[in-house]
Amino acid sequence: MKRILVIQGGGRPNGNTAQLVAAFVKGVESAGHQTEIISLLKNEVKDCLGCNACRYGKPCVQKDSFNEMVPKIMAADLVVFASPLYYFTFSARLKAFIDRFYCMAEECEPSLGRYESYPVKDSALLMTAADNYFWTFEQAVSYYQFALVNYIGFHDRGMILAGGCGDTNGTGRIKETEWLEKAFAFGKNIYPNE
């Protein structure tokens, strides 16, 4: 059994991203894994101030929900990042959450451009968008691959990039697509040999 932490990075409480997360979680739980969803709509995570207090053994100076999330991140086998597409990348809430990973880093000797080491975790990406062009998710995937996989060192378990889920003015139409079924199957098979 794996411990899976899903960070839902904004959007509407019952919108396309929330529905995609719910389908993924049903798949994961059907395979016997333990899940927890943390909504960044309900849990405030402020921006990193770059004050470096955390680098000198002090707790983060920001008084928000992130400090309570750190033990959950550390205990998780898989951290899933879920966001609607906002201006070609993650929501600001999810970006602030990722920026705060800085407090979990430990300094190390530079190796391949890295001067920090992070807890080794698996990761996955779930995203929704109204558009579905060949370039729709390009910037978001690039950031995920560079920052989370290449720099932080997470092991990518895959992604669901659910484009074509309806316009931004109306209610989401993800139920009219095949993305919910794909998210369920992705969750069910994310650890195929477990």
Side-chain angles (χ1 to χ4, degrees):
M1 177 186 77
K2 297 288 188 180
R3 290 167 296 191
I4 298 173
L5 181 65
V6 181
I7 307 301
Q8 190 171 314
R12 297 176 177 101
N14 298 307
N16 289 327
T17 304
Q19 293 177 57
L20 191 70
V21 165
F24 172 80
V25 166
K26 283 181 187 174
V28 165
E29 290 177 346
S30 75
H33 304 297
Q34 176 187 341
T35 60
E36 181 178 356
I37 301 171
I38 295 178
S39 168
L40 297 182
L41 287 173
K42 297 176 183 175
N43 296 278
E44 182 184 30
V45 175
K46 296 177 183 176
D47 298 338
C48 177
L49 298 174
C51 69
N52 279 337
C54 60
R55 292 301 170 96
Y56 297 100
K58 297 178 183 175
C60 182
V61 299
Q62 295 283 39
K63 305 303 178 205
D64 61 12
S65 298
F66 188 79
N67 295 318
E68 298 163 13
M69 295 177 193
V70 171
K72 295 177 181 188
I73 296 165
M74 299 299 277
D77 297 301
L78 169 69
V79 180
V80 179
F81 300 89
S83 178
L85 186 75
Y86 287 168
Y87 284 93
F88 308 102
T89 194
F90 300 164
S91 69
R93 285 182 175 99
L94 187 57
K95 178 64 170 63
F97 173 83
I98 294 166
D99 286 350
R100 295 283 294 282
F101 274 45
Y102 185 69
C103 75
M104 292 185 286
E106 294 181 5
E107 292 187 25
C108 63
E109 289 298 316
S111 169
L112 300 175
R114 270 192 206 146
Y115 56 90
E116 303 165 333
S117 65
Y118 290 84
V120 177
K121 304 288 171 192
D122 289 338
S123 65
L125 178 64
L126 304 176
M127 292 194 74
T128 59
D131 296 338
N132 198 21
Y133 300 110
F134 72 91
W135 46 261
T136 297
F137 295 101
E138 190 171 310
Q139 181 65 31
V141 169
S142 176
Y143 177 76
Y144 171 78
Q145 291 288 346
F146 180 80
L148 295 169
V149 176
N150 295 339
Y151 186 76
I152 290 178
F154 283 179
H155 300 144
D156 178 36
R157 302 293 298 186
M159 53 188 79
I160 296 285
L161 305 173
C165 292
D167 64 57
T168 57
N169 293 323
T171 57
R173 295 199 307 264
I174 197 167
K175 288 181 182 176
E176 299 170 20
T177 73
E178 59 190 15
W179 291 118
L180 298 180
E181 292 83 10
K182 287 185 174 186
F184 177 88
F186 179 52
K188 185 173 183 175
N189 297 302
I190 199 158
Y191 288 105
N193 301 320
E194 297 292 320

